[in-house]
Amino acid sequence: MTRVLASDGMDKSAVAKLTESGYEVVQQFYEPDELAKQVKEFDVLVVRSATKVRQPIIDAAVEGGRLKLIIRGGVGVDNIDVEYAKSKGIDVTNTPNASSDAVAELAIGHMFSLARFIYIANVTMREGKWEKKQYAGGIELAGKTLGLIGCGRIGRSVGKKALALGMDVIYTDPLGPLPENEPLRCVSSDEVLSKSDFISLHVPKSDKPIVDKAEFAKMKDGVYVVNTARGGLVAEDALIEALDSGKVAAAAIDVYAEEPSKNEKLYTHPKISLTPHIGASTKEAQQRIGSEIVSIITDTFGK
């Protein structure tokens, strides 16, 4: 029997489909040392973002001689040593289509939250405060410029939703411009930084921040910054400094350099709208991710 370890859980409908098809599915999170022992007994390892599949885990799997496939339920695969796994004969894949709209909607939701003080008014109202005057300076998204740093599946989804709201959308992407039939406008990275009223990040994890003091200095005064992509893309200390100086009016963060975040200055800052890495956490996205995982597994091992 083909055995599947879903170390960060899996949608129940996906588990049911695999079980009906004769697969054994174990949903259990293991710390790295224990995972290295357990992974030897499985043919497939399915992870989300919590489980890190580094070289010691892969070496243990190779020693067991059984693991053939690692699936990342989501877009990014930076929590997996992909090339190393492939060099050892273990295939690695992800589910890039399933969560794009969920993450895009969260990014747009954060923009509304920042623009109208929803994130902080919800807190002060619960404290018994009626701060109507303090929140009188909200802005409308319509007519504002949204700059996308990265314009893959998620970035394009954000851009098209923003267009429907009446925003002007520009983007920069390391892979260059999109096909000409796309309605979004490609510009230089400096132009995105200098001309945008809102900036939203949609690029893979990098070794160092791509938005740091130098990038903040190029932005408009009073810009809004949203990061639902990967922790570490925005330098957290530089962001706090930019918020305190007024260079950045407010920011929204779903991802952090360390998760859970231990940066108290960040998660207590009154100008930051915070969510705990929930970009793909919708019922619909989880069902789509589960369906893609089932398809990948059954295509590989048979129904």
Side-chain angles (χ1 to χ4, degrees):
M1 177 181 288
T2 302
R3 303 188 75 218
V4 179
L5 173 60
S7 62
D8 300 327
M10 191 188 301
D11 182 72
K12 61 182 181 181
S13 63
V15 174
K17 288 178 183 177
L18 287 171
T19 302
E20 289 168 5
S21 297
Y23 293 85
E24 180 185 353
V25 181
V26 176
Q27 297 187 80
Q28 177 66 54
F29 176 80
Y30 295 107
E31 295 295 342
D33 288 346
E34 185 62 23
L35 179 59
K37 298 176 184 177
Q38 297 294 332
V39 76
K40 299 176 183 180
E41 306 300 323
F42 291 88
D43 304 279
V44 184
L45 173 61
V46 180
V47 303
R48 292 295 307 276
S49 56
T51 299
K52 315 301 179 188
V53 189
R54 303 304 181 197
Q55 290 190 18
I57 305 297
I58 296 166
D59 287 338
V62 172
E63 182 183 323
R66 187 164 178 174
L67 192 71
K68 297 294 185 292
L69 177 64
I70 301 171
I71 303 173
R72 162 71 163 94
V75 180
V77 290
D78 44 86
N79 56 322
I80 304 169
D81 288 341
V82 177
E83 295 306 319
Y84 188 74
K86 289 183 176 180
S87 75
K88 297 297 183 179
I90 300 171
D91 193 20
V92 180
T93 188
N94 61 350
T95 61
N97 300 309
S99 57
S100 297
D101 279 337
V103 179
E105 287 189 7
L106 180 66
I108 294 289
H110 269 303
M111 290 181 206
F112 277 116
S113 182
L114 296 178
R116 298 303 304 274
F117 299 103
I118 297 169
Y119 69 99
I120 190 66
N122 184 266
V123 174
T124 56
M125 285 288 288
R126 293 172 189 275
E127 295 172 346
K129 300 175 183 177
W130 186 264
E131 299 190 338
K132 182 175 181 177
K133 291 182 179 179
Q134 287 89 324
Y135 307 141
I139 63 170
E140 298 173 8
L141 297 189
K144 302 301 186 295
T145 297
L146 168 62
L148 302 171
I149 299 178
C151 205
R153 292 180 180 88
I154 297 173
R156 289 198 299 274
S157 183
V158 172
K160 291 174 181 178
K161 289 171 171 55
L163 286 175
L165 294 170
M167 302 185 81
D168 180 35
V169 182
I170 58 178
Y171 74 91
T172 184
D173 192 282
L175 298 180
L178 297 170
E180 291 184 2
N181 61 344
E182 289 286 348
L184 313 179
R185 185 159 52 92
C186 185
V187 300
S188 68
S189 58
D190 280 353
E191 194 169 346
V192 164
L193 294 173
S194 64
K195 292 190 174 181
S196 300
D197 301 298
F198 287 79
I199 293 175
S200 189
L201 283 79
H202 302 285
V203 291
K205 187 175 179 63
S206 62
D207 294 333
K208 61 180 182 179
I210 64 169
V211 176
D212 210 327
K213 289 185 178 182
E215 287 71 32
F216 282 120
K218 295 177 182 179
M219 295 179 188
K220 279 185 176 183
D221 291 343
V223 68
Y224 296 84
V225 176
V226 178
N227 184 14
T228 57
R230 282 290 180 268
L233 292 177
V234 178
E236 293 179 350
D237 290 344
L239 172 61
I240 292 168
E241 183 179 316
L243 288 163
D244 290 342
S245 71
K247 165 60 77 170
V248 175
I253 305 174
D254 185 52
V255 288
Y256 306 85
E258 182 180 10
E259 296 186 358
S261 177
K262 294 182 175 63
N263 189 339
E264 188 173 358
K265 287 184 178 180
L266 189 79
Y267 64 72
T268 61
H269 202 287
K271 293 183 179 180
I272 301 179
S273 177
L274 300 145
T275 46
H277 202 154
I278 59 170
S281 298
T282 66
K283 293 178 180 179
E284 296 88 348
Q286 294 309 304
Q287 289 169 356
R288 290 192 296 267
I289 288 170
S291 294
E292 281 198 46
I293 289 171
V294 170
S295 295
I296 293 167
I297 292 173
T298 55
D299 287 349
T300 302
F301 294 93
K303 297 181 179 179

